[in-house]
Amino acid sequence: PADDRPHGADCDGAVQPAIGALLMRALLYAAIVASPSLTDVIPADRWIAGGSVDELPDRPFAVIRITDAPPSVSKSTQPRVGIWVHDNRGSYSRIDAVLGSLRTVLAAIVDVQDANNRISCIEWTGDSPDLIDTDYNTNVRTASFVVTGRK
């Protein structure tokens, strides 16, 4: 019954992301796959949404994770984006090149809006040190961003 579903759930009971999150995911993915500096290293089909890695993809690959912004009484929002870039063990040079390109590509997303939401800018907040993912047996580094917008 409808009253047993969580707030924001669809007819099957699955909680759907806010329209702003859908806009953000679509913009991030479109900007990434339109950039040869990124897709020459990681093909478009290996840019994966967080939580959807079922099988180990060919390397290199990247996982895009979006964390909702803390609740706010204002209409402004600042969700966090983490992009985990994985590659074969050994050199981090391809990972470093992708992280550098991500900063440029995402910083170019300025003043984009749909009918209900607006992304003012995407700000780089830092990269992780060199890491090793023992589950995937890969070298990995992350880039972190804050998305400033209005809902």
Side-chain angles (χ1 to χ4, degrees):
D3 52 13
D4 289 338
R5 294 189 312 248
H7 177 71
D10 65 13
C11 294
D12 296 324
V15 176
Q16 299 300 310
I19 292 173
L22 294 175
L23 170 68
M24 187 177 6
R25 282 187 182 90
L27 277 172
L28 290 172
Y29 186 77
I32 287 167
V33 301
S35 172
S37 67
L38 294 171
T39 57
D40 285 352
V41 180
I42 302 176
D45 64 334
R46 290 194 233 147
W47 290 89
I48 304 163
S52 61
V53 179
D54 295 326
E55 296 180 14
L56 182 62
D58 290 336
R59 297 172 191 157
F61 67 96
V63 179
I64 303 168
R65 299 183 188 280
I66 299 173
T67 305
D68 290 334
S72 170
V73 293
S74 74
K75 290 189 175 205
S76 66
T77 181
Q78 288 192 308
R80 308 303 193 250
V81 175
I83 301 180
W84 295 68
V85 181
H86 295 258
D87 199 1
N88 294 316
R89 299 288 301 274
S91 173
Y92 284 82
S93 62
R94 289 196 299 188
I95 293 173
D96 293 341
V98 168
L99 296 180
S101 292
L102 279 169
R103 288 191 289 275
T104 302
V105 168
L106 298 185
I109 299 175
V110 177
D111 256 353
V112 178
Q113 64 186 46
D114 66 7
N116 301 309
N117 305 278
R118 175 179 170 208
I119 294 176
S120 300
C121 65
I122 299 178
E123 182 180 3
W124 174 70
T125 58
D127 296 332
S128 74
D130 296 348
L131 304 170
I132 295 172
D133 186 318
T134 56
D135 290 333
Y136 293 139
N137 193 30
T138 59
N139 285 352
V140 63
R141 290 189 68 205
T142 65
S144 300
F145 301 87
V146 173
V147 180
T148 301
R150 291 184 63 81
K151 50 186 171 173

